[in-house]
Amino acid sequence: MVAAGLMSGAATGSASAQTSAKQLFGAQKLPANLQSRAIGSYAKGCQAGAVALPVDGPAWQAMRLSRNRNWGQPVLIDFLEKLAVDARAHDGWNGLLVGDIAQPRGGPMITGHASHQIGLDADIWLRPMPEQRFDMKERETVSAISMLKNGTRSVDPNKFTSAQFRLIKRAASTPGVARIFVHPGIKKALCDMAGNDRAWLQQVRPWYGHYYHFHVRLACPPGNPGCKDQAPPPAGDGCGKELAWWLSDEPWTPKKPDPNKPPVKKHVMTLADLPDACQAVIAAGPTPGASVASAAVGSAPYVPIEDDAPVAALPKPRPLVN
């Protein structure tokens, strides 16, 4: 009986009141032994029945294993594996270096992303995969590579080439992809290189950071009634006025705080703030046979991720999750 597997009312209330959701979900090392399901929204939810992207595949390598964030919904893992193989076969891309996907049970992270909570988001490095396999230590220390010219918002054509273009186009053209997030300079390069085939550009959205990787977000899969999709992206290819705004100084100029406005106390998200089904995800036992593919070395030095920025620091009316 589901109720028997849940925390008691008192225990749940205590956890909600005293423990932040990111501490609860960050402590989970293995996925919940429940039917696969994305629960809630990309920045406010969790996941059940997650599966791990294998550390090594025929055309991919999972990076930063000590973070234990190579878990996603089956539909996302299938997407990544197929993208890797197809891009190698057809696009001249040797293989994917895959960064953060989600925690074993999703939810808010102790460090990093505001999204990546329901197992439908993944970061793919724009650095090509080398022929050799990285060892555990290298997966913690090898750096992604910025695609931008130093000190500019424009891509370096020696780094961002037709190979990166073809990879992003393939990802954005795949049915079920809701968004691809890239740096505005990369969006500009994609617009310039696209030619007459431009429908896929609608899915590619400019956003802060994302100059060394692109962020894939899938739409909620069928049979996930508790999963909340974003609104569709605006019509058109997004290569006009919106992109011009992103490439101007306005989005990057810090906003002066209003001295007359009292400081806003940041709300700490608790289990009670998430969909009710996330209580069962926390309470469930681990999936039999699941294991953690974390590195034997310590965690890599943490580099802040672009969607760490608080909403108040972002230009209005842009939402945190574009």
Side-chain angles (χ1 to χ4, degrees), residues 115-154:
S115 60
H116 289 253
Q117 293 194 26
I118 59 175
L120 297 176
D121 295 278
D123 290 340
I124 300 173
W125 290 17
L126 288 165
R127 173 177 180 161
M129 188 180 88
E131 290 295 336
Q132 80 274 14
R133 292 286 162 168
F134 291 126
D135 61 28
M136 288 298 204
K137 184 175 181 180
E138 288 171 326
R139 291 178 199 240
E140 301 299 310
T141 57
V142 168
S143 296
I145 297 174
S146 172
M147 297 290 107
L148 305 181
K149 295 178 184 177
N150 289 338
T152 76
R153 297 175 198 136
S154 301

Side-chain angles (χ1 to χ4, degrees), residues 53-138:
L53 177 72
V55 172
D56 289 295
W60 72 83
Q61 297 181 52
M63 305 297 286
R64 301 299 190 261
L65 299 177
S66 66
R67 295 181 182 179
N68 197 27
R69 296 177 179 176
N70 61 318
W71 301 90
Q73 288 296 290
V75 64
L76 177 61
I77 303 305
D78 289 346
F79 165 85
L80 292 171
E81 294 180 355
K82 186 175 189 303
L83 175 66
V85 172
D86 288 350
R88 169 176 278 187
H90 304 293
D91 301 325
W93 192 258
N94 191 48
L96 302 184
L97 297 177
V98 182
D100 287 353
I101 301 175
Q103 298 176 137
R105 305 190 187 202
M109 296 181 182
I110 294 173
T111 55
H113 316 272
S115 60
H116 289 253
Q117 293 194 26
I118 59 175
L120 297 176
D121 295 278
D123 290 340
I124 300 173
W125 290 17
L126 288 165
R127 173 177 180 161
M129 188 180 88
E131 290 295 336
Q132 80 274 14
R133 292 286 162 168
F134 291 126
D135 61 28
M136 288 298 204
K137 184 175 181 180
E138 288 171 326

Side-chain angles (χ1 to χ4, degrees), residues 126 147 155 160 168 182-190 210-211:
L126 288 165
M147 297 290 107
V155 300
F160 190 87
I168 296 174
V182 297
H183 184 278
I186 293 177
K187 171 75 176 187
K188 176 67 164 58
L190 296 172
H210 296 89
Y211 47 84

Side-chain angles (χ1 to χ4, degrees), residues 209-267:
H210 296 89
Y211 47 84
Y212 58 89
H213 74 277
F214 66 99
H215 175 160
V216 175
R217 170 169 295 163
L218 299 191
C220 292
N224 283 240
C227 182
K228 297 181 180 179
D229 273 314
Q230 289 180 257
D237 61 15
C239 296
K241 290 183 178 179
E242 179 189 22
L243 181 57
W245 179 85
W246 275 105
L247 293 170
S248 72
D249 290 338
E250 184 180 350
W252 314 96
T253 303
K255 302 298 184 286
K256 294 182 179 180
D258 183 350
N260 299 316
K261 188 175 181 179
V264 178
K265 185 177 180 181
K266 185 176 180 180
H267 174 70

Side-chain angles (χ1 to χ4, degrees), residues 271-322:
L271 188 59
D273 294 314
L274 301 179
D276 290 345
C278 291
Q279 295 178 18
V281 170
I282 285 291
T287 301
S291 60
V292 177
S294 56
V297 297
S299 297
Y302 183 72
V303 177
I305 298 166
E306 55 277 351
D307 60 2
D308 291 346
V311 174
L314 303 180
K316 304 301 182 183
R318 303 286 170 181
L320 182 62
V321 182
N322 189 16

Side-chain angles (χ1 to χ4, degrees), residues 156-169:
D156 183 339
N158 295 316
K159 297 177 181 176
F160 190 87
T161 69
S162 60
Q164 280 88 355
F165 170 84
R166 290 191 296 268
L167 174 63
I168 296 174
K169 180 180 179 181

